[in-house]
Amino acid sequence: MTHDPRQTWLAETHARGDIAAWLEAIPYARHLGIDVAERRPRFLYRLAPRPANIGNPLLPALHGGVVGAFMETVGLLELMRVGESPRLPKIVDFAIDYLRSARVVPTLAHCEITREGRRLANVSVTAWQEDEARPVARARLHALLVSPDG
């Protein structure tokens, strides 16, 4: 039987709750500037305000695709984080509602697992900037829960 070092890495990082290692392993997450903002009282993720993330330089505002990629990434990370065992969720469906322009300032997001079964999970993601009561976007993510070996 062949040993896959990726499975070992995933199991070890999951046991430590090492989201920073997961983010480091995702080149696009590094490019966008995604990190963990807060762990308590709840888990918050942050998107750094980088010039490369600007979609409309006249406002200026973040590109909608960047906001969507941020929300999709943190939804998947949250599913990986809360699972009892290591798993790699695969997106089945992703829908986003853009509610207002996202300025080029730090953007925060939190996730809520709305349903988690043995094979499928649903996650809601809310992103905001200075005021959580005024979100810039809301997203819904449906994912297939897959063990690392298949």
Side-chain angles (χ1 to χ4, degrees):
M1 180 155 96
T2 307
H3 175 71
D4 186 347
R6 296 173 298 179
Q7 291 176 7
T8 302
W9 176 83
L10 183 61
E12 289 172 353
T13 56
H14 182 268
R16 292 191 310 264
D18 194 351
I19 295 172
W22 296 341
L23 285 165
E24 185 61 30
I26 305 168
Y28 196 53
R30 289 193 319 262
H31 173 75
L32 294 178
I34 299 172
D35 66 357
V36 174
E38 212 175 287
R39 294 179 187 269
R40 289 190 175 61
R42 64 180 173 170
F43 228 83
L44 296 180
Y45 298 90
R46 177 181 40 235
L47 174 65
R50 295 187 170 174
N53 293 345
I54 295 173
N56 184 338
L58 299 177
L59 291 178
L62 296 176
H63 190 286
V66 168
V67 174
F70 167 57
M71 296 176 80
E72 181 179 296
T73 300
V74 301
L76 292 174
L77 288 171
E78 189 70 4
L79 282 172
M80 290 173 65
R81 182 183 78 81
V82 301
E84 290 181 22
S85 60
R87 58 189 175 187
L88 297 171
K90 294 184 180 184
I91 293 176
V92 175
D93 182 51
F94 179 79
I96 188 166
D97 296 322
Y98 294 100
L99 305 172
R100 58 187 42 86
S101 291
R103 293 173 298 111
V104 186
V105 298
T107 304
L108 299 172
H110 70 83
C111 305
E112 178 186 348
I113 309 295
T114 54
R115 182 190 178 279
E116 184 178 4
R118 287 184 303 126
R119 303 246 326 132
L120 291 172
N122 300 340
V123 182
S124 293
V125 184
T126 302
W128 70 94
Q129 294 182 313
E130 278 105 15
D131 183 359
E132 185 176 355
R134 293 182 43 87
V136 295
R138 287 199 172 105
R140 293 157 313 284
L141 170 81
H142 306 281
L144 179 64
L145 303 175
V146 181
S147 66
D149 54 359

